Each structure stands twice: as structure tokens, then as C-alpha cells.
Amino acid sequence: MAGVDVAPAQIGLQLAWITVTYADGTVRREQWRLATSLTDHIRYPARELVAHYHERWQAETTYFSIKVTMLHGRVLRSRRLPDIDQEVYALLTVYQALVRIAGDAILSRPRLDPDRISFTVALEAARDQVITASGVLISGIAVLTGAIGRSIPRCVPRASTR
């Protein structure tokens, strides 16, 4: 997001102009209306609400990645509360490990935007590596990106209204 121009707030409605500049130089500008119970525009400026809204969608994307990509839409198998806790923690641990590996891959490619990596590609590369056990034993100096990190391609920049 290149810039946010804020219009005066209305009761229950925050208005902001969002400008997105794509990698090819194309600029798209549109007005967003954020319905909210935070009606004090001085205490809760539209600029901050829009930024937090974007962060919220990053969290939603995390849950989507776990639910749809890792679980393929299946429900948890556990039937007892302690087992459900363990299963959820296992999913979150695997997700965090994949994100960490993706972070290492980003460090090896300085101009790669962290928001543009493919979680699905990282997950499939990790599955392939676990199933085939390839690259488990290394000789020489360990490279942090490893097979999974090298599999993460550059993705096409995208923007989506949600």
C-alpha cells in the first residue's frame, strides 16, 4: 500500500482512500468504507483502522492456510479436550516452522516480499522432503534455506479487497 488519505469520519463509518502501486507501475486508487463501532475519529483514525484491518487479514490467512491447505478442509480427529489442544498446537507448530523456513528463504533473496511467498509450495516441499527423506543428512555447511526454502518461487504481486 503506497499511501492512505483519510477523509473525515462519519458516525459508525470510517472512510479512507487506498492507493495501491503494482510492480509494473500501475496505480489503483479507491475509497474504502470501514464499518466500525470505533466512532471516535480522533482516538481511532481511519489510517490506523485500515492498517489493523490489513493485519487482521494476515491472521485470517494463517487460519485459512491451516484449515484448507494443511487439513484439506478436514476436521480435527481428536475427541477429548487435551487431545484437541495437542492437535492444534501441532498444527500451529508445523505452520510456524514453515513460515520460519520461508523467512530464511526470504533472507537469501533480499528483494522477495514476505507477503508474496507461497505457503502451499512450502508445505508441499516439506511433505516431499519428509516422505522421501531426501536432504535429511547433509555434508558440509548447513544452508538455512534448504530444499523447502529453495522451492519457494517468486509470486506475482496481488491485491484483493476483502
Side-chain angles (χ1 to χ4, degrees), residues 97-109 112 117 143-146 149-150 152:
L98 289 171
V99 169
R100 186 74 183 263
I101 290 167
D104 291 342
I106 290 165
L107 291 176
S108 70
R109 299 177 191 174
L112 183 61
I117 61 167
V143 179
L144 291 178
T145 54
R150 287 190 302 273
I152 298 172

Side-chain angles (χ1 to χ4, degrees), residues 60-75 91 95 119-120 123-124 127:
E60 293 289 334
T61 301
T62 298
Y63 294 127
F64 178 82
S65 295
I66 291 171
K67 180 179 176 184
V68 175
T69 308
M70 292 174 69
L71 291 174
H72 298 289
R74 295 184 310 261
V75 296
L91 287 167
Y95 178 83
F119 178 79
T120 304
L123 177 64
E124 293 303 320
R127 281 185 180 150

Side-chain angles (χ1 to χ4, degrees), residues 76 89 106 127 136 153 160:
L76 298 177
Y89 282 123
I106 290 165
R127 281 185 180 150
V136 173
S160 175

